[in-house]
Amino acid sequence: MSLTWMAVITFVILHMSVFATTIYLQRSITHRGLQLHPIVAVLMHLELLLFTGIIPRQWAAVHRKHHHHSDEAGDPHSPRVLGMWTVLFGNYFLYKKQANNPATVRKYTPDYRPDVIEPPTNVYPKLQHPCRTRHFHADVWLGVGSNGMGRADGCVRIAELVHQQLVPHDRIPEF
Ligand SMILES: [Zn+2]
């Protein structure tokens, strides 16, 4: 796989994840301002499952908490409260801390309804946390043979890293 193809694949994966985040996670799941066709919603959920490992209910809980406490104590990722550098470089850990807090998830998403690709909650998190599991699925999905596996995995990881830093604290404009 050439460098050009790696860049193209990374760019496409990153942008699919960005669209799934802003349309599905933010507009539809979190703010309920948009009702997607169930097939579109499932496809976006699948994209996020394969390429980011994000669990929609966790993301919605963290984002609702952010809106509840915007730039005041309790905001999970406020540069004003926590400092710009902490949020800029530690956003992944700030997000994980809140996403893995069952109290936060329960409090902010009592209305969440799992879809057809979401296994029971006692199984789903175990699929997420060995990071390789989802990357392996992504590689298989890309149809990559053993020679290209490492490079395709690199594309997925780069796209995921950029997505993790950009998305959870609203660097992507709400439109
Ligand atoms: Zn929002």
Side-chain angles (χ1 to χ4, degrees):
M1 188 187 298
S2 71
L3 207 58
T4 305
W5 271 112
M6 287 177 69
V8 169
I9 290 172
T10 303
F11 183 84
V12 170
I13 291 171
L14 177 60
H15 281 79
M16 288 194 312
S17 299
V18 166
F19 281 121
T21 299
T22 193
I23 296 168
Y24 169 73
L25 288 178
Q26 185 169 33
R27 302 290 156 212
S28 183
I29 298 291
T30 305
H31 296 305
R32 301 280 176 205
L34 175 69
Q35 189 162 13
L36 295 172
H37 188 283
I39 293 174
V40 175
V42 164
L43 287 174
M44 288 191 168
H45 184 170
L46 189 61
E47 195 282 338
L48 290 164
L49 175 66
L50 288 170
F51 294 114
T52 71
I54 285 174
I55 297 174
R57 183 172 183 179
Q58 290 181 341
W59 198 96
V62 175
H63 196 68
R64 284 177 179 173
K65 186 171 185 180
H66 155 69
H67 276 292
H68 189 203
H69 298 284
S70 286
D71 276 338
E72 58 186 34
D75 186 331
H77 42 67
S78 166
R80 181 176 286 176
V81 175
L82 301 167
M84 184 182 78
W85 297 110
T86 303
V87 176
L88 196 60
F89 293 109
N91 190 51
Y92 172 80
F93 301 101
L94 295 171
Y95 173 78
K96 280 290 172 198
K97 186 178 169 191
Q98 289 298 320
N100 290 326
N101 181 346
T104 297
V105 175
R106 269 197 303 273
K107 178 178 178 183
Y108 286 97
T109 55
D111 57 331
Y112 184 79
R113 297 286 173 270
D115 63 19
V116 293
I117 63 166
E118 196 158 353
T121 49
N122 62 335
V123 176
Y124 197 47
K126 289 179 189 164
L127 291 176
Q128 300 299 312
H129 283 297
C131 296
R132 292 187 173 278
T133 304
R134 65 173 182 268
H135 290 128
F136 175 74
H137 287 314
D139 288 336
V140 170
W141 186 79
L142 285 168
V144 183
S146 56
N147 284 341
M149 184 72 88
R151 289 177 196 153
D153 193 60
C155 296
V156 173
R157 281 167 193 268
I158 290 167
E160 184 190 15
L161 278 171
V162 174
H163 182 265
Q164 280 167 353
Q165 281 303 316
L166 282 175
V167 172
H169 48 101
D170 294 348
R171 298 246 186 83
I172 293 171
E174 299 192 17
F175 53 84

